[in-house]
Amino acid sequence: PKQMDLLGDVGAADQLTSARAENAVLTKKVKELSQKVKALAVENQALLAEVEMYRKEGAIVGTSKSTTSAGSNVDATDGTETPEEFLKSGNGVYPSDPAVTLEGLHSNSNPLCCVLHPDDTMLATGGADFFLSVCQWGGALAPTPDAASNVVKNAIRLRCSSPVIALAFSQQSLGKELPVIAAGCMDGSIVLAGYGNSVSGISGISLTPSNDIKFSKYVKDLAWSPIAPILAAASAEGTILVMNVSQPDMEAGSVTVEMIQKLHLSGTVESMCFSKDGQNLICYTRDTPYLSFFDVENGFEQTKINLNKTGGSTVGGFEDHVSFAVMDISLSPNGKFLALATDTSRNIVIDAKTGKQIRNLYGHTNDGFSNPKIAWSSSGQYIFGNTQEDGSVCVWDVASASIVKRLEGHTNPIRALFASHLTDTLVSTSFDKKVKIWLNPM
């Protein structure tokens, strides 16, 4: 019989043990280096912003740099005076408690977008399952184990023709509610749905518009005017449709849609919003260095605000330089500022009238393959944003331009964010197929 090589077996076991120990050390080292790479990436983005600023300043010929007294308050990011709203750090009040988790609103599919009704009572989500879902999310706060599942069970579900990737509730129009929600789909179609809300529950139907509303490419964003029943819809083909929507006939299941204007831009319209007074429709077109402001009451005359501004004025030679794309736009609750989420791991706060850069926000990661999202807290002191690295929500204090908290709860990256301007309520949807509603801690 073959003799057992005991010494050989012991030697092999020792080698295996040694290899495992070495592998553990290497794994730990890789994790440490990965963390350093992430930190360096953040620092690199900050340095790139500084370089961009110095390039602009260096291009100024014959213009002296403005100086300020030692006692003045200046934002170190670009040399402009800090607005009164951001002189002090936030008061620490913002939604951070994942009070509600809704699973199954879109069966086993991912929820792709979310929006709250203007009074915060209803939550609408759109999913990869082709459905628009509307629910009374507050019922999930009831102290019963099946409260959240009952909300999902009682939600209304309206089937669309493709995945729903954009949503918008109509706003109060001259003191009268327009009970319509718009849904933008992957196939370029726009669905208008009418709804009713009462103590007994919610109801909803898909409305047949008087005119077909469809793009040749997918819908990118939707926005309602805050003062009139005007809906703007933007697409990847570079077109914006602006239309007037009448009160729906719920019994007939119809609604009259009157086209006001068609805007044809040079590229994909990534995001848009209306100004607080409804005077301007603000949008960003890919591969351009500016925001477009279209005057609604003056024939949609266009005004461009260059994003290469330092201290409110563009610099010769760099006006047309494109260093990032604005993927999401959010208007502050007071209407004075715009928060811009870009595809270069950089969020920017600008003055909504002058375009002056107020703050640059770093500490997260979002590149051209991610879905950067951004939203304001109801106080206007904090900004929420996602990161492609994980499922957390980054919370920035605008005054200090620093991340004060990361909201943990989702297990996969976040697809959409919506924050109420009425209450401290934040909604997030994730690729973990869950919808979370964040409230102030009790």
Side-chain angles (χ1 to χ4, degrees):
K2 186 177 181 180
Q3 293 183 345
M4 295 179 63
D5 186 359
L6 295 179
L7 291 178
D9 290 344
V10 171
D14 285 344
Q15 288 181 348
L16 181 60
T17 301
S18 177
R20 286 175 174 171
E22 185 177 352
N23 182 62
V25 172
L26 290 173
T27 300
K28 182 179 179 182
K29 192 66 176 177
V30 167
K31 288 182 178 179
E32 291 176 355
L33 290 173
S34 296
Q35 292 297 325
K36 289 182 180 179
V37 168
K38 290 180 181 179
L40 289 172
V42 172
E43 292 179 13
N44 182 56
Q45 291 299 328
L47 288 172
L48 287 175
E50 285 190 52
V51 168
E52 190 72 15
M53 180 182 71
Y54 292 140
R55 286 173 64 193
K56 295 173 185 177
E57 291 178 351
I60 300 177
V61 180
T63 303
S64 60
K65 188 176 180 180
S66 60
T67 58
T68 58
S69 62
S72 63
N73 192 295
V74 176
D75 177 10
T77 59
D78 60 11
T80 62
E81 293 185 4
T82 297
E84 185 73 24
E85 289 86 348
F86 306 135
L87 284 173
K88 300 177 182 178
S89 290
N91 58 12
V93 178
Y94 53 84
S96 60
D97 174 30
V100 174
T101 299
L102 301 176
E103 299 184 55
L105 276 173
H106 295 278
S107 300
N108 198 38
S109 298
N110 283 308
L112 303 176
C113 51
C114 58
V115 65
L116 286 172
H117 186 272
D119 67 8
D120 288 356
T121 58
M122 289 185 289
L123 166 67
T125 57
D129 60 349
F130 294 29
F131 277 93
L132 159 63
S133 174
V134 184
C135 67
Q136 292 176 313
W137 66 272
L141 296 172
T144 57
D146 58 352
S149 60
N150 283 338
V151 167
V152 173
K153 180 181 178 181
N154 295 326
I156 60 171
R157 287 165 53 83
L158 303 176
R159 185 173 177 83
C160 301
S161 54
S162 65
V164 180
I165 53 180
L167 288 172
F169 271 108
S170 60
Q171 305 296 304
Q172 297 290 328
S173 176
L174 303 177
K176 185 178 182 180
E177 182 178 12
L178 180 68
V180 175
I181 181 170
C185 302
M186 189 76 77
D187 65 356
S189 63
I190 306 257
V191 175
L192 297 178
Y195 61 85
N197 187 16
S198 66
V199 291
S200 60
I202 53 177
S203 59
I205 59 170
S206 295
L207 300 169
T208 301
S210 56
N211 297 302
D212 285 337
I213 317 167
K214 188 170 184 179
F215 298 104
S216 61
K217 293 185 178 180
Y218 57 94
V219 177
K220 290 295 295 186
D221 206 1
L222 299 166
W224 288 90
S225 166
I227 64 169
I230 295 175
L231 171 66
S235 81
E237 70 186 36
T239 303
I240 297 178
L241 301 180
V242 185
M243 61 206 90
N244 188 84
V245 180
S246 68
Q247 284 288 331
D249 185 335
M250 296 294 281
E251 291 186 3
S254 62
V255 63
T256 300
V257 176
E258 177 188 1
M259 199 63 60
I260 299 174
Q261 187 63 258
K262 291 184 180 180
L263 303 172
H264 302 277
L265 305 178
S266 61
T268 298
V269 181
E270 293 292 351
S271 185
M272 65 182 177
C273 68
F274 278 93
S275 59
K276 192 175 181 67
D277 60 6
Q279 178 71 37
N280 288 290
L281 176 62
I282 307 165
C283 73
Y284 174 78
T285 305
R286 181 170 280 277
D287 296 326
T288 66
Y290 53 81
L291 293 180
S292 293
F293 286 62
F294 293 99
D295 191 333
V296 177
E297 297 180 2
N298 192 25
F300 287 84
E301 180 179 336
Q302 182 183 23
T303 300
K304 297 178 181 179
I305 288 187
N306 200 293
L307 295 173
N308 293 323
K309 288 188 174 185
T310 301
S313 59
T314 55
V315 180
F318 294 98
E319 291 92 340
D320 298 326
H321 177 65
V322 180
S323 57
F324 56 80
V326 176
M327 306 301 291
D328 196 21
I329 302 174
S330 180
L331 182 70
S332 65
N334 64 9
K336 293 182 179 181
F337 309 100
L338 290 169
L340 314 176
T342 79
D343 61 353
T344 57
S345 302
R346 173 190 178 195
N347 292 337
I348 309 169
V349 179
I350 67 171
D351 185 289
K353 287 188 176 180
T354 66
K356 292 180 181 179
Q357 289 187 17
I358 307 300
R359 292 289 187 273
N360 283 297
L361 308 178
Y362 299 101
H364 64 304
T365 301
N366 276 324
D367 60 23
F369 298 98
S370 63
N371 294 286
K373 298 297 178 182
I374 200 163
W376 292 84
S377 68
S378 61
S379 67
Q381 297 177 326
Y382 298 94
I383 283 177
F384 309 107
N386 62 345
T387 177
Q388 70 185 58
E389 294 178 302
D390 53 41
S392 65
V393 179
C394 300
V395 184
W396 282 272
D397 171 70
V398 182
S400 64
S402 60
I403 292 178
V404 293
K405 194 173 183 66
R406 293 179 187 268
L407 307 183
E408 306 287 347
H410 288 292
T411 55
N412 283 325
I414 288 170
R415 178 63 172 80
L417 289 172
F418 184 89
S420 168
H421 286 183
L422 182 65
T423 63
D424 287 320
T425 306
L426 173 69
V427 182
S428 58
T429 70
S430 165
F431 289 110
D432 63 8
K433 303 177 182 178
K434 298 176 183 178
V435 177
K436 288 187 178 290
I437 295 96
W438 308 76
L439 304 174
N440 286 335
M442 299 297 290

